[in-house]
Amino acid sequence: MDINNWHLNAEHGLPSDKQIHLLQCFPFCIGSEKMLAAYFDQPGGPENLYVKEVPKPHPGKGEVLIKVSASALNRADLLQRRGKYPSPKGASDILGLEAAGLVAGFGPGCKGQWKTGDTVMTLLSGGGQAEYVTVPEGHLMLIPNYMTFVQAAAIPEAWLTAFQLLHFVGEVQSGQTVLIHAGASGVGTAAIQLTRLAKAIPIVTAGTQEKLQLAAKLGAAAGFNYKEEDFRERVLEFTNGSGVDVILDCIGGSYWEKNLNCLSTDGQWIVYGLLGGGEVHGDLLARLLSKRGSLLTSLLRSREKEYKEKLVKAFTERVLPYFSQDRSPHVQPIIDSVYPLHRIVEAHRTMEENKNLGKVIIEMPPSS
């Protein structure tokens, strides 16, 4: 399958086209105190979601108001919908950890680095699956002028998570081997490309041949179907028995023993999700100690504002230029599917059933 099948085409429009349209609508939009948002009244399955009219947020000190064009789904959204991952204190309880759109207003104390109508993408603690969201100005990134809003919405949470895990937490080095679980997920597809960018060697696990093919196209040196083979044996074969230097693990408990078997002496096992549960039954600490291994954990959503600003700045300087089509190596967001806001239930089901290869995008309704 051609990798371009996972990309958006021109029918979704360039940012400049949407910018002209939305700027014409700004007087109406800013004057309204209501907006549409993905909402649920009780925790539960995707069927509990619906689109609701809610109050539009107002930017506080140092914050920017964004007219959202597109957002994206993350596993955290599914957990929050089930009542298992509440939004951090002070954050919006609306779903959505990333968004792309236009700068529509400013709170007091902004430094003037952005202007009304700028096309931006942003990392969020919540609130992205709505027509408007507010965000600290230091969390914004300028959308490259060749990229659509839909493509841009696939970047902030997944790519900043992968960048943080590899560089802020794992401090990956050239020549190291990195095992990436869920290699066809949003974070996984970003981590493969970022590992290559760091001149390290990515290998992955995934549950279908199609997902492994996608990972290979993105640069994975090897891929193992965890449903059909013992990935620990294959990892040790690939590394000639030495194991991997870094593991990016969003699975957790059910993989602990296999991960330790795969880990090299002095290796780093980084846990950032618990899709396989949080319980461990066995002698984990003794086996970790015998390898002098490091067990690290990381969450991005609950980090303080200053940390996220530092992360965004580093990513903007070190990675964002490589999204340009004339840069080599070239990196790219991988998009599985696009759903309008009113089909939010279908979007959640797609991710919940592990059908997606790359990101699931939510488009906001056109402005009146």
Side-chain angles (χ1 to χ4, degrees):
M1 185 178 293
D2 188 343
I3 193 171
N4 289 324
N5 289 343
W6 283 289
H7 287 278
L8 272 293
N9 54 39
E11 69 179 327
H12 293 287
L14 295 173
S16 57
D17 298 332
K18 290 188 176 181
Q19 182 174 352
I20 292 171
H21 173 68
L22 290 176
L23 282 173
Q24 292 171 339
C25 299
F26 271 166
F28 169 86
C29 296
I30 294 175
S32 174
E33 292 302 313
K34 296 287 186 178
M35 67 174 184
L36 299 178
Y39 206 80
F40 60 95
D41 295 313
Q42 296 292 332
E47 66 278 1
N48 286 16
L49 291 164
Y50 66 101
V51 177
K52 182 179 180 179
E53 191 175 62
V54 299
K56 189 175 77 175
H58 296 278
K61 184 177 181 180
E63 291 185 334
V64 177
L65 179 68
I66 304 302
K67 175 67 176 75
V68 179
S69 179
S71 183
L73 285 188
N74 292 279
R75 289 287 170 182
D77 296 314
L78 275 59
L79 291 172
Q80 183 175 335
R81 188 203 70 226
R82 296 180 201 141
K84 297 181 178 181
Y85 190 18
S87 55
K89 184 178 179 180
S92 171
D93 59 2
I94 295 171
L95 302 176
L97 302 184
E98 56 198 329
L102 296 171
V103 172
F106 302 92
C110 288
K111 299 176 181 177
Q113 62 189 105
W114 304 100
K115 64 182 184 297
T116 300
D118 279 344
T119 57
V120 294
M121 54 187 173
T122 184
L123 180 70
L124 301 166
S125 296
Q129 291 166 29
E131 291 184 293
Y132 287 90
V133 70
T134 58
V135 60
E137 60 180 339
H139 296 179
L140 296 176
M141 296 175 283
L142 189 67
I143 299 176
N145 58 14
Y146 50 82
M147 187 175 286
T148 68
F149 284 129
V150 166
Q151 290 170 321
I155 293 174
E157 173 68 15
W159 282 78
L160 285 167
T161 294
F163 180 77
Q164 178 210 19
L165 296 173
L166 288 168
H167 294 287
F168 279 39
V169 181
E171 298 180 345
V172 67
Q173 302 296 311
S174 175
Q176 289 187 326
T177 302
V178 180
L179 173 59
I180 302 164
H181 292 308
S185 66
V187 173
T189 55
I192 293 168
Q193 297 176 77
L194 289 171
T195 299
R196 282 293 186 191
L197 196 60
K199 296 182 171 56
I201 303 165
I203 60 177
V204 306
T205 65
T208 69
Q209 193 61 33
E210 187 179 22
K211 291 181 178 181
L212 292 176
Q213 289 172 355
L214 171 60
K217 289 178 182 294
L218 293 174
F224 314 117
N225 188 328
Y226 65 85
K227 295 180 179 178
E228 298 178 355
E229 55 190 337
D230 189 337
F231 72 79
R232 61 183 160 184
E233 294 180 0
R234 298 296 305 278
V235 167
L236 291 174
E237 288 175 10
F238 180 84
T239 60
N240 296 316
S242 63
V244 296
D245 302 288
V246 179
I247 300 175
L248 302 188
D249 179 20
C250 58
I251 307 300
S254 63
Y255 273 14
W256 79 267
E257 193 166 13
K258 292 181 179 180
N259 279 331
L260 277 176
N261 286 341
C262 292
L263 193 66
S264 68
T265 301
D266 296 316
Q268 298 183 91
W269 171 18
I270 304 172
V271 178
Y272 69 99
L274 298 173
L275 294 177
E279 292 188 4
V280 171
H281 302 284
D283 204 359
L284 183 152
L285 292 180
R287 296 182 61 180
L288 186 65
L289 183 62
S290 71
K291 289 195 170 186
R292 302 194 303 270
S294 298
L295 175 58
L296 305 169
T297 65
S298 182
L299 290 174
L300 181 54
R301 186 182 190 184
S302 57
R303 296 277 189 175
E304 63 275 11
K305 182 181 76 170
E306 292 75 17
Y307 179 94
K308 292 180 180 178
E309 288 179 357
K310 180 181 177 182
L311 180 65
V312 166
K313 185 175 185 296
F315 181 84
T316 298
E317 293 173 351
R318 295 167 58 180
V319 179
L320 200 56
Y322 289 95
F323 284 95
S324 174
Q325 295 177 344
D326 58 3
R327 288 295 295 264
S328 182
H330 170 64
V331 300
Q332 52 197 325
I334 305 301
I335 296 170
D336 174 84
S337 49
V338 183
Y339 293 86
L341 182 62
H342 70 269
R343 291 174 60 196
I344 187 72
V345 172
E346 295 174 60
H348 273 243
R349 283 181 176 147
T350 294
M351 177 170 280
E352 198 149 74
E353 295 169 6
N354 293 319
K355 293 180 177 179
N356 57 299
L357 283 71
K359 297 286 284 187
V360 176
I361 305 298
I362 308 297
E363 277 196 301
M364 295 304 114
S367 297
S368 300

